[in-house]
Coordinates of all heavy atoms in Angstrom, one line a residue:
R1 N 66.5 -183.8 -125.9 CA 67.6 -184.4 -125.1 C 68.2 -183.6 -124.1 O 68.7 -184.0 -123.0 CB 68.6 -185.1 -126.1 CG 69.8 -185.9 -125.4 CD 69.2 -187.1 -124.7 NE 70.1 -187.6 -123.7 CZ 70.1 -187.6 -122.4 NH1 69.3 -186.7 -121.8 NH2 71.0 -188.1 -121.7
E2 N 68.6 -182.3 -124.6 CA 69.4 -181.5 -123.8 C 68.5 -180.7 -122.7 O 69.0 -180.4 -121.5 CB 70.1 -180.3 -124.7 CG 71.0 -180.9 -125.7 CD 72.2 -181.5 -125.2 OE1 72.4 -181.5 -123.9 OE2 73.1 -181.9 -125.9
T3 N 67.2 -180.5 -122.9 CA 66.5 -179.8 -122.0 C 65.2 -180.3 -121.4 O 64.5 -179.8 -120.6 CB 66.1 -178.4 -122.5 OG1 65.0 -178.6 -123.4 CG2 67.2 -177.6 -123.1
A4 N 64.9 -181.6 -122.1 CA 63.6 -182.2 -121.7 C 62.5 -181.2 -121.9 O 61.6 -181.1 -121.2 CB 63.5 -182.8 -120.3
Y5 N 62.6 -180.4 -123.0 CA 61.7 -179.4 -123.5 C 61.4 -178.3 -122.5 O 60.4 -177.9 -122.1 CB 60.4 -180.0 -124.1 CG 60.7 -181.0 -125.2 CD1 60.7 -182.3 -125.1 CD2 61.1 -180.3 -126.4 CE1 61.0 -183.0 -126.2 CE2 61.4 -181.0 -127.5 CZ 61.5 -182.5 -127.4 OH 61.7 -183.1 -128.5
G6 N 62.6 -177.9 -121.8 CA 62.4 -176.8 -120.8 C 62.4 -177.2 -119.4 O 62.6 -176.4 -118.5
S7 N 62.2 -178.5 -119.1 CA 62.1 -178.8 -117.6 C 63.4 -179.1 -116.9 O 63.5 -179.0 -115.8 CB 61.3 -180.2 -117.5 OG 61.9 -181.2 -118.2
H8 N 64.5 -179.3 -117.7 CA 65.8 -179.4 -117.0 C 66.5 -178.1 -117.0 O 66.6 -177.4 -118.0 CB 66.6 -180.5 -117.9 CG 68.0 -180.6 -117.4 ND1 68.3 -181.1 -116.2 CD2 69.2 -180.3 -118.0 CE1 69.6 -181.2 -116.0 NE2 70.2 -180.5 -117.1
K9 N 67.0 -177.8 -115.8 CA 67.7 -176.5 -115.7 C 69.2 -176.9 -115.3 O 69.5 -177.7 -114.5 CB 67.1 -175.7 -114.6 CG 65.7 -175.4 -114.7 CD 65.4 -174.6 -115.9 CE 63.9 -174.3 -116.2 NZ 63.6 -173.6 -117.5
L10 N 70.0 -176.2 -115.9 CA 71.5 -176.4 -115.5 C 71.8 -176.0 -114.1 O 71.5 -174.9 -113.7 CB 72.4 -175.6 -116.6 CG 72.2 -176.1 -118.0 CD1 72.9 -175.1 -119.0 CD2 72.7 -177.4 -118.3
P11 N 72.5 -176.9 -113.4 CA 72.6 -176.7 -112.0 C 73.8 -176.0 -111.5 O 73.9 -175.5 -110.3 CB 72.6 -178.1 -111.4 CG 73.3 -178.9 -112.6 CD 72.9 -178.3 -113.8
H12 N 74.9 -175.8 -112.3 CA 76.2 -175.4 -111.8 C 76.6 -174.0 -112.4 O 76.2 -173.5 -113.5 CB 77.3 -176.4 -112.2 CG 77.1 -177.7 -111.7 ND1 77.3 -178.0 -110.4 CD2 76.8 -178.9 -112.4 CE1 77.0 -179.3 -110.3 NE2 76.8 -179.9 -111.4
D13 N 77.5 -173.3 -111.7 CA 78.2 -172.1 -112.2 C 79.2 -172.5 -113.2 O 80.1 -173.3 -112.8 CB 78.7 -171.3 -111.0 CG 79.6 -170.2 -111.5 OD1 79.0 -169.2 -112.1 OD2 80.8 -170.2 -111.2
A14 N 79.2 -172.1 -114.4 CA 80.0 -172.5 -115.4 C 81.5 -172.3 -115.2 O 82.4 -173.1 -115.4 CB 79.7 -171.9 -116.8
I15 N 81.8 -171.1 -114.5 CA 83.2 -170.7 -114.3 C 83.8 -171.7 -113.2 O 85.0 -172.1 -113.3 CB 83.2 -169.2 -113.8 CG1 82.7 -168.3 -114.9 CG2 84.7 -168.9 -113.5 CD1 83.5 -168.4 -116.2
R16 N 83.1 -171.9 -112.2 CA 83.5 -172.8 -111.2 C 83.7 -174.2 -111.7 O 84.8 -174.8 -111.4 CB 82.6 -172.9 -110.0 CG 83.1 -173.6 -108.7 CD 82.0 -173.7 -107.7 NE 82.7 -174.1 -106.4 CZ 82.1 -174.8 -105.4 NH1 80.7 -174.9 -105.5 NH2 82.7 -175.2 -104.4
V17 N 82.8 -174.8 -112.4 CA 82.9 -176.0 -113.0 C 84.1 -176.2 -114.0 O 85.0 -177.1 -113.8 CB 81.6 -176.4 -113.9 CG1 81.9 -177.6 -114.8 CG2 80.5 -176.7 -112.8
L18 N 84.3 -175.3 -114.8 CA 85.3 -175.4 -115.8 C 86.7 -175.1 -115.2 O 87.7 -175.8 -115.5 CB 85.1 -174.3 -117.0 CG 83.9 -174.5 -117.9 CD1 83.6 -173.3 -118.6 CD2 84.2 -175.8 -118.8
A19 N 86.8 -174.3 -114.3 CA 88.0 -174.0 -113.5 C 88.4 -175.2 -112.7 O 89.6 -175.6 -112.7 CB 87.9 -172.8 -112.6
T20 N 87.5 -175.8 -112.1 CA 87.8 -177.1 -111.3 C 88.3 -178.1 -112.2 O 89.3 -178.9 -111.9 CB 86.4 -177.6 -110.4 OG1 86.1 -176.5 -109.6 CG2 86.8 -178.7 -109.7
Q21 N 87.5 -178.3 -113.3 CA 88.0 -179.4 -114.2 C 89.4 -179.1 -114.8 O 90.2 -180.1 -115.0 CB 86.9 -179.6 -115.2 CG 85.6 -180.2 -114.9 CD 85.6 -181.6 -114.5 OE1 86.6 -182.2 -114.7 NE2 84.4 -182.1 -114.2
A22 N 89.6 -177.8 -115.1 CA 91.0 -177.5 -115.5 C 92.1 -177.7 -114.5 O 93.2 -177.9 -114.8 CB 91.0 -176.1 -116.2
F23 N 91.6 -177.5 -113.3 CA 92.6 -177.6 -112.1 C 92.9 -179.0 -111.7 O 94.2 -179.3 -111.5 CB 92.0 -176.9 -110.9 CG 92.7 -176.9 -109.7 CD1 94.1 -176.5 -109.6 CD2 92.2 -177.4 -108.4 CE1 94.7 -176.7 -108.4 CE2 92.8 -177.5 -107.3 CZ 94.1 -177.1 -107.3
T24 N 91.9 -179.8 -111.7 CA 92.1 -181.2 -111.2 C 91.4 -182.4 -111.8 O 91.1 -183.3 -111.4 CB 92.1 -181.2 -109.6 OG1 92.5 -182.4 -109.1 CG2 90.5 -181.1 -109.3
G25 N 90.8 -182.0 -113.0 CA 90.0 -183.0 -113.8 C 90.8 -183.9 -114.5 O 92.1 -183.7 -114.7
R26 N 90.2 -185.0 -115.2 CA 91.1 -186.0 -115.8 C 91.4 -185.5 -117.2 O 92.4 -186.0 -117.8 CB 90.1 -187.3 -116.0 CG 90.8 -188.4 -116.7 CD 89.8 -189.5 -116.8 NE 88.5 -189.2 -117.5 CZ 88.4 -189.2 -118.8 NH1 89.3 -189.7 -119.6 NH2 87.2 -189.0 -119.3
R27 N 90.8 -184.3 -117.7 CA 91.1 -183.8 -119.1 C 91.4 -182.3 -118.9 O 90.8 -181.4 -119.3 CB 90.0 -184.0 -119.9 CG 89.6 -185.5 -120.3 CD 88.4 -185.6 -121.1 NE 87.2 -185.3 -120.3 CZ 86.0 -184.9 -120.8 NH1 85.9 -184.8 -122.1 NH2 85.0 -184.7 -120.1
K28 N 92.5 -182.1 -118.0 CA 92.9 -180.7 -117.7 C 93.1 -179.8 -118.9 O 92.6 -178.7 -118.9 CB 94.2 -180.8 -116.8 CG 94.0 -181.3 -115.5 CD 95.3 -181.2 -114.7 CE 95.2 -181.7 -113.3 NZ 96.5 -181.8 -112.6
D29 N 93.8 -180.3 -119.9 CA 94.3 -179.5 -121.1 C 93.0 -179.1 -121.9 O 92.9 -177.9 -122.2 CB 95.1 -180.2 -122.0 CG 96.6 -180.5 -121.3 OD1 96.8 -179.8 -120.3 OD2 97.3 -181.4 -121.8
E30 N 92.1 -180.0 -122.1 CA 90.8 -179.6 -122.8 C 90.1 -178.5 -122.0 O 89.5 -177.5 -122.6 CB 89.9 -180.9 -122.9 CG 90.4 -181.8 -123.8 CD 89.6 -183.2 -123.9 OE1 88.3 -183.0 -123.7 OE2 90.1 -184.3 -124.0
F31 N 89.9 -178.7 -120.6 CA 89.2 -177.8 -119.9 C 89.9 -176.4 -119.7 O 89.3 -175.4 -119.4 CB 88.8 -178.5 -118.6 CG 87.6 -179.3 -118.7 CD1 87.7 -180.7 -118.7 CD2 86.2 -178.7 -118.8 CE1 86.6 -181.5 -118.8 CE2 85.1 -179.6 -119.0 CZ 85.4 -181.0 -119.1

């Protein structure tokens, strides 16, 4: 489910994603 047995690659930079969600996401406190 998570990787389609290796064919799915994660597309984003984690620091940028998490910081953006914490900055202006719907669940700021969680992020």
Side-chain angles (χ1 to χ4, degrees):
R1 181 66 192 94
E2 299 294 359
T3 74
Y5 298 106
S7 65
H8 174 66
K9 305 299 181 185
L10 295 171
H12 300 287
D13 172 66
I15 300 301
R16 188 184 190 202
V17 163
L18 293 168
T20 301
Q21 293 288 357
F23 173 57
T24 191
R26 185 175 58 84
R27 296 172 288 160
K28 291 181 180 180
D29 292 344
E30 293 177 35
F31 279 103

